[in-house]
Amino acid sequence: MADTEPEYGRPVVRVLHTAELDDTGRAAVRTLLEEVFEGDFGDHDWDHTLGGVHALVLEGGGAPEGGRGRDGRAAGELVAHGALVQRRLLHGGRALRTGYVEGVGVRADRRGLGYGAAVLAALEKAVRGAYELGALSSSEDALGFYAARGWLRWQGPTLALTPGGVVRTGEDDGGVFVLPVAAGVDLAGELVCDWRDGDLW
């Protein structure tokens, strides 16, 4: 996968598949997300972030392995993360190949530096290159962030295809965003997600 690597000591954005993350890398991602979400990040949430690509922002990433950047931080210190996994969303009679954004977070002391935007830029590039549609479920605090990046807030009802049939997910209405690529969508129409354990959206 591609890296974006400025000069020595500056932040690096790395894009890796889950299969390319070793045990240490996976542990660092999960630890970061548990800190970002202040404990509200469980096993199902972790499972939802796996199996696709991860955008990682590493500080000091230009330093030699085991060395330190100019600010004294350890090389490759993880400060921001986001993942993109494949899902199928049903809309307008079609099952759309969707790149679904999960596990976006920036360490509290590194917010306001553009790291969240760097993560999204990497994931959006993957969406545009591989999927018909991008989608995500936003927290209330992040609604403006995604809208400012050109994501479109879904206006119609949200639903889920469950083992018991299609059910409404009204609690998720207003929090789902999409990034159309090759698929035309009616934002006022129904949008149905596939089944998974834990949060459906």
Side-chain angles (χ1 to χ4, degrees), residues 22-94:
D22 60 16
D23 290 343
T24 300
R26 293 190 192 194
V29 171
R30 181 155 189 176
T31 297
L32 173 69
L33 294 176
E34 287 175 347
E35 291 175 356
V36 167
F37 291 102
E38 300 178 339
D40 188 20
F41 187 85
D43 290 341
H44 290 320
D45 302 309
W46 175 237
D47 184 67
H48 296 167
T49 70
L50 302 177
V53 296
H54 303 259
L56 314 170
V57 177
L58 306 170
E59 285 191 336
E65 186 67 27
R68 291 182 178 271
R70 290 174 180 162
D71 58 5
R73 291 189 178 88
E77 185 176 1
L78 180 65
V79 294
H81 169 273
L84 187 73
V85 298
Q86 180 168 308
R87 300 187 69 180
R88 289 283 176 176
L89 298 189
L90 307 180
H91 175 67
R94 297 183 59 204

